[in-house]
Amino acid sequence: MQISYEYDGFPEFLRSESACKRAVELGRIGADTPIVVYEEDGDRTRMLAGEHPTLRSLLGLVSPAEELPPEEPQPPAQSPWPAPASDAQSSLRAPLPEHVAPAPAVRARTDLPVQPEYRQTARSDPDNAWYWMTLALRNYADFQGRARRKEYWMFTLLVMLATVLAVIFGGAESSLGTLLMAVIILGGFIPGLAVTVRRLHDLGLSGWLVLIGLIPYLGSLVLFILMLLDGKRGTNQYGPNPKEPVDASVFE
């Protein structure tokens, strides 16, 4: 059994007696509600809900015992529905055109506004020591932006390891050792200065504060303590936090 009716401007389908009972209990179907009955042979018939035996019983118009009186002849197998009560009602039972297909049982809600979805894109920095040791070298003379503690201290570790290797393989007083030390000092001065400035930017401080290191002892101690501090959260005047995800909005 399949019955359709219109509710709130949209077609609804009933495929069982329990579904019919539910629709009647909710007050969606009354005796004068137009319905469409889909028969097993593919025919479709329009009628009022009060004319359908099942709905008529559920609406309380007659008792189940009175639906099919024994003295009345049984209706034909291909047309189990009662005859129309009047000419006005018979016009509702005209077969639908063959090209009209039943509407789907589930209808999509189109009255809800589509809201943009916002998310953050995580950074994809490689988590290996060599990447962080050489990051300052790749940003050789970049005094803009911010640098996190990991970039600064891994570059410092690289300089220390290079110095130790130069002493071991070149000797502290040999010409080779002196040459290697000169290469390390001259080659690491500019990227070391740049990463220190970016570290100060990460703290929200001016890069000119690096000149405090010219003060003997006290200046170096102040810079050492500043390099140990974590950067400011969020974006400051020098750029976004290198430790946080990149803000991005995606509309789906």
PDB file of all heavy atoms in Angstrom, residues 153-173:
ATOM      1  N   TRP A 153      68.418  28.345  18.804  1.00  0.00           N
ATOM      2  CA  TRP A 153      69.322  27.492  19.585  1.00  0.00           C
ATOM      3  C   TRP A 153      69.874  26.340  18.747  1.00  0.00           C
ATOM      4  O   TRP A 153      70.991  25.866  18.999  1.00  0.00           O
ATOM      5  CB  TRP A 153      68.607  26.961  20.824  1.00  0.00           C
ATOM      6  CG  TRP A 153      68.400  28.045  21.847  1.00  0.00           C
ATOM      7  CD1 TRP A 153      67.230  28.620  22.225  1.00  0.00           C
ATOM      8  CD2 TRP A 153      69.425  28.700  22.606  1.00  0.00           C
ATOM      9  NE1 TRP A 153      67.438  29.589  23.159  1.00  0.00           N
ATOM     10  CE2 TRP A 153      68.795  29.658  23.430  1.00  0.00           C
ATOM     11  CE3 TRP A 153      70.811  28.582  22.685  1.00  0.00           C
ATOM     12  CZ2 TRP A 153      69.495  30.473  24.309  1.00  0.00           C
ATOM     13  CZ3 TRP A 153      71.518  29.400  23.555  1.00  0.00           C
ATOM     14  CH2 TRP A 153      70.872  30.334  24.357  1.00  0.00           C
ATOM     15  N   MET A 154      69.149  25.873  17.742  1.00  0.00           N
ATOM     16  CA  MET A 154      69.702  24.843  16.874  1.00  0.00           C
ATOM     17  C   MET A 154      70.811  25.412  15.985  1.00  0.00           C
ATOM     18  O   MET A 154      71.801  24.735  15.702  1.00  0.00           O
ATOM     19  CB  MET A 154      68.593  24.227  16.025  1.00  0.00           C
ATOM     20  CG  MET A 154      67.588  23.403  16.812  1.00  0.00           C
ATOM     21  SD  MET A 154      68.330  22.015  17.696  1.00  0.00           S
ATOM     22  CE  MET A 154      68.656  20.887  16.348  1.00  0.00           C
ATOM     23  N   PHE A 155      70.679  26.687  15.578  1.00  0.00           N
ATOM     24  CA  PHE A 155      71.773  27.318  14.835  1.00  0.00           C
ATOM     25  C   PHE A 155      72.981  27.519  15.738  1.00  0.00           C
ATOM     26  O   PHE A 155      74.139  27.342  15.308  1.00  0.00           O
ATOM     27  CB  PHE A 155      71.310  28.654  14.257  1.00  0.00           C
ATOM     28  CG  PHE A 155      72.403  29.417  13.573  1.00  0.00           C
ATOM     29  CD1 PHE A 155      72.896  29.010  12.346  1.00  0.00           C
ATOM     30  CD2 PHE A 155      72.961  30.543  14.172  1.00  0.00           C
ATOM     31  CE1 PHE A 155      73.919  29.708  11.719  1.00  0.00           C
ATOM     32  CE2 PHE A 155      73.982  31.245  13.550  1.00  0.00           C
ATOM     33  CZ  PHE A 155      74.459  30.833  12.313  1.00  0.00           C
ATOM     34  N   THR A 156      72.722  27.894  16.995  1.00  0.00           N
ATOM     35  CA  THR A 156      73.824  28.035  17.942  1.00  0.00           C
ATOM     36  C   THR A 156      74.540  26.696  18.140  1.00  0.00           C
ATOM     37  O   THR A 156      75.777  26.635  18.225  1.00  0.00           O
ATOM     38  CB  THR A 156      73.293  28.555  19.288  1.00  0.00           C
ATOM     39  OG1 THR A 156      72.621  29.806  19.068  1.00  0.00           O
ATOM     40  CG2 THR A 156      74.421  28.757  20.284  1.00  0.00           C
ATOM     41  N   LEU A 157      73.751  25.602  18.213  1.00  0.00           N
ATOM     42  CA  LEU A 157      74.354  24.278  18.349  1.00  0.00           C
ATOM     43  C   LEU A 157      75.201  23.931  17.130  1.00  0.00           C
ATOM     44  O   LEU A 157      76.284  23.337  17.251  1.00  0.00           O
ATOM     45  CB  LEU A 157      73.256  23.235  18.559  1.00  0.00           C
ATOM     46  CG  LEU A 157      73.709  21.772  18.662  1.00  0.00           C
ATOM     47  CD1 LEU A 157      74.644  21.569  19.850  1.00  0.00           C
ATOM     48  CD2 LEU A 157      72.489  20.855  18.769  1.00  0.00           C
ATOM     49  N   LEU A 158      74.738  24.305  15.929  1.00  0.00           N
ATOM     50  CA  LEU A 158      75.511  24.043  14.712  1.00  0.00           C
ATOM     51  C   LEU A 158      76.850  24.771  14.743  1.00  0.00           C
ATOM     52  O   LEU A 158      77.897  24.204  14.382  1.00  0.00           O
ATOM     53  CB  LEU A 158      74.696  24.482  13.490  1.00  0.00           C
ATOM     54  CG  LEU A 158      75.401  24.359  12.130  1.00  0.00           C
ATOM     55  CD1 LEU A 158      75.705  22.904  11.814  1.00  0.00           C
ATOM     56  CD2 LEU A 158      74.541  24.986  11.025  1.00  0.00           C
ATOM     57  N   VAL A 159      76.849  26.028  15.186  1.00  0.00           N
ATOM     58  CA  VAL A 159      78.101  26.798  15.269  1.00  0.00           C
ATOM     59  C   VAL A 159      79.053  26.166  16.281  1.00  0.00           C
ATOM     60  O   VAL A 159      80.266  26.060  16.038  1.00  0.00           O
ATOM     61  CB  VAL A 159      77.793  28.265  15.620  1.00  0.00           C
ATOM     62  CG1 VAL A 159      79.093  29.040  15.855  1.00  0.00           C
ATOM     63  CG2 VAL A 159      76.976  28.922  14.513  1.00  0.00           C
ATOM     64  N   MET A 160      78.503  25.715  17.410  1.00  0.00           N
ATOM     65  CA  MET A 160      79.349  25.091  18.426  1.00  0.00           C
ATOM     66  C   MET A 160      79.947  23.783  17.914  1.00  0.00           C
ATOM     67  O   MET A 160      81.141  23.511  18.129  1.00  0.00           O
ATOM     68  CB  MET A 160      78.527  24.846  19.697  1.00  0.00           C
ATOM     69  CG  MET A 160      78.073  26.120  20.396  1.00  0.00           C
ATOM     70  SD  MET A 160      77.004  25.797  21.814  1.00  0.00           S
ATOM     71  CE  MET A 160      78.108  24.822  22.840  1.00  0.00           C
ATOM     72  N   LEU A 161      79.146  22.970  17.215  1.00  0.00           N
ATOM     73  CA  LEU A 161      79.671  21.714  16.675  1.00  0.00           C
ATOM     74  C   LEU A 161      80.734  21.973  15.613  1.00  0.00           C
ATOM     75  O   LEU A 161      81.763  21.277  15.561  1.00  0.00           O
ATOM     76  CB  LEU A 161      78.526  20.887  16.084  1.00  0.00           C
ATOM     77  CG  LEU A 161      77.511  20.316  17.076  1.00  0.00           C
ATOM     78  CD1 LEU A 161      76.400  19.593  16.339  1.00  0.00           C
ATOM     79  CD2 LEU A 161      78.190  19.367  18.063  1.00  0.00           C
ATOM     80  N   ALA A 162      80.506  22.981  14.760  1.00  0.00           N
ATOM     81  CA  ALA A 162      81.498  23.307  13.736  1.00  0.00           C
ATOM     82  C   ALA A 162      82.792  23.795  14.373  1.00  0.00           C
ATOM     83  O   ALA A 162      83.899  23.472  13.902  1.00  0.00           O
ATOM     84  CB  ALA A 162      80.925  24.368  12.798  1.00  0.00           C
ATOM     85  N   THR A 163      82.692  24.537  15.470  1.00  0.00           N
ATOM     86  CA  THR A 163      83.897  25.016  16.164  1.00  0.00           C
ATOM     87  C   THR A 163      84.678  23.858  16.768  1.00  0.00           C
ATOM     88  O   THR A 163      85.916  23.800  16.669  1.00  0.00           O
ATOM     89  CB  THR A 163      83.504  26.021  17.247  1.00  0.00           C
ATOM     90  OG1 THR A 163      82.759  27.104  16.656  1.00  0.00           O
ATOM     91  CG2 THR A 163      84.723  26.578  17.947  1.00  0.00           C
ATOM     92  N   VAL A 164      83.958  22.913  17.396  1.00  0.00           N
ATOM     93  CA  VAL A 164      84.622  21.753  17.984  1.00  0.00           C
ATOM     94  C   VAL A 164      85.324  20.925  16.913  1.00  0.00           C
ATOM     95  O   VAL A 164      86.468  20.471  17.086  1.00  0.00           O
ATOM     96  CB  VAL A 164      83.606  20.912  18.775  1.00  0.00           C
ATOM     97  CG1 VAL A 164      84.241  19.595  19.231  1.00  0.00           C
ATOM     98  CG2 VAL A 164      83.097  21.689  19.972  1.00  0.00           C
ATOM     99  N   LEU A 165      84.665  20.720  15.780  1.00  0.00           N
ATOM    100  CA  LEU A 165      85.280  19.944  14.697  1.00  0.00           C
ATOM    101  C   LEU A 165      86.488  20.662  14.115  1.00  0.00           C
ATOM    102  O   LEU A 165      87.491  20.022  13.736  1.00  0.00           O
ATOM    103  CB  LEU A 165      84.244  19.677  13.599  1.00  0.00           C
ATOM    104  CG  LEU A 165      83.086  18.753  13.985  1.00  0.00           C
ATOM    105  CD1 LEU A 165      82.094  18.645  12.832  1.00  0.00           C
ATOM    106  CD2 LEU A 165      83.591  17.370  14.370  1.00  0.00           C
ATOM    107  N   ALA A 166      86.416  21.982  14.035  1.00  0.00           N
ATOM    108  CA  ALA A 166      87.557  22.736  13.522  1.00  0.00           C
ATOM    109  C   ALA A 166      88.761  22.605  14.449  1.00  0.00           C
ATOM    110  O   ALA A 166      89.909  22.486  13.987  1.00  0.00           O
ATOM    111  CB  ALA A 166      87.175  24.202  13.349  1.00  0.00           C
ATOM    112  N   VAL A 167      88.536  22.598  15.746  1.00  0.00           N
ATOM    113  CA  VAL A 167      89.630  22.442  16.709  1.00  0.00           C
ATOM    114  C   VAL A 167      90.208  21.035  16.647  1.00  0.00           C
ATOM    115  O   VAL A 167      91.428  20.831  16.718  1.00  0.00           O
ATOM    116  CB  VAL A 167      89.139  22.792  18.122  1.00  0.00           C
ATOM    117  CG1 VAL A 167      90.214  22.446  19.163  1.00  0.00           C
ATOM    118  CG2 VAL A 167      88.764  24.263  18.211  1.00  0.00           C
ATOM    119  N   ILE A 168      89.308  20.039  16.481  1.00  0.00           N
ATOM    120  CA  ILE A 168      89.775  18.651  16.482  1.00  0.00           C
ATOM    121  C   ILE A 168      90.577  18.344  15.228  1.00  0.00           C
ATOM    122  O   ILE A 168      91.679  17.790  15.294  1.00  0.00           O
ATOM    123  CB  ILE A 168      88.576  17.690  16.621  1.00  0.00           C
ATOM    124  CG1 ILE A 168      87.926  17.841  18.008  1.00  0.00           C
ATOM    125  CG2 ILE A 168      89.019  16.249  16.401  1.00  0.00           C
ATOM    126  CD1 ILE A 168      86.681  17.024  18.190  1.00  0.00           C
ATOM    127  N   PHE A 169      90.050  18.712  14.070  1.00  0.00           N
ATOM    128  CA  PHE A 169      90.707  18.323  12.820  1.00  0.00           C
ATOM    129  C   PHE A 169      91.752  19.341  12.355  1.00  0.00           C
ATOM    130  O   PHE A 169      92.661  18.993  11.604  1.00  0.00           O
ATOM    131  CB  PHE A 169      89.660  18.138  11.713  1.00  0.00           C
ATOM    132  CG  PHE A 169      88.743  16.982  11.955  1.00  0.00           C
ATOM    133  CD1 PHE A 169      87.467  17.184  12.443  1.00  0.00           C
ATOM    134  CD2 PHE A 169      89.159  15.683  11.709  1.00  0.00           C
ATOM    135  CE1 PHE A 169      86.610  16.122  12.663  1.00  0.00           C
ATOM    136  CE2 PHE A 169      88.311  14.620  11.923  1.00  0.00           C
ATOM    137  CZ  PHE A 169      87.031  14.821  12.414  1.00  0.00           C
ATOM    138  N   GLY A 170      91.633  20.579  12.763  1.00  0.00           N
ATOM    139  CA  GLY A 170      92.580  21.579  12.307  1.00  0.00           C
ATOM    140  C   GLY A 170      93.614  21.974  13.322  1.00  0.00           C
ATOM    141  O   GLY A 170      94.661  22.514  12.978  1.00  0.00           O
ATOM    142  N   GLY A 171      93.311  21.715  14.601  1.00  0.00           N
ATOM    143  CA  GLY A 171      94.221  22.136  15.635  1.00  0.00           C
ATOM    144  C   GLY A 171      93.963  23.571  16.039  1.00  0.00           C
ATOM    145  O   GLY A 171      93.621  24.420  15.210  1.00  0.00           O
ATOM    146  N   ALA A 172      94.147  23.847  17.322  1.00  0.00           N
ATOM    147  CA  ALA A 172      93.834  25.169  17.846  1.00  0.00           C
ATOM    148  C   ALA A 172      94.819  26.222  17.357  1.00  0.00           C
ATOM    149  O   ALA A 172      94.469  27.392  17.190  1.00  0.00           O
ATOM    150  CB  ALA A 172      93.808  25.127  19.378  1.00  0.00           C
ATOM    151  N   GLU A 173      96.082  25.853  17.140  1.00  0.00           N
ATOM    152  CA  GLU A 173      97.112  26.826  16.784  1.00  0.00           C
ATOM    153  C   GLU A 173      97.642  26.646  15.369  1.00  0.00           C
ATOM    154  O   GLU A 173      98.544  27.371  14.950  1.00  0.00           O
ATOM    155  CB  GLU A 173      98.266  26.735  17.780  1.00  0.00           C
ATOM    156  CG  GLU A 173      97.844  27.035  19.214  1.00  0.00           C
ATOM    157  CD  GLU A 173      99.007  26.912  20.180  1.00  0.00           C
ATOM    158  OE1 GLU A 173     100.108  26.521  19.722  1.00  0.00           O
ATOM    159  OE2 GLU A 173      98.812  27.202  21.367  1.00  0.00           O
TER     160      GLU A 173
END
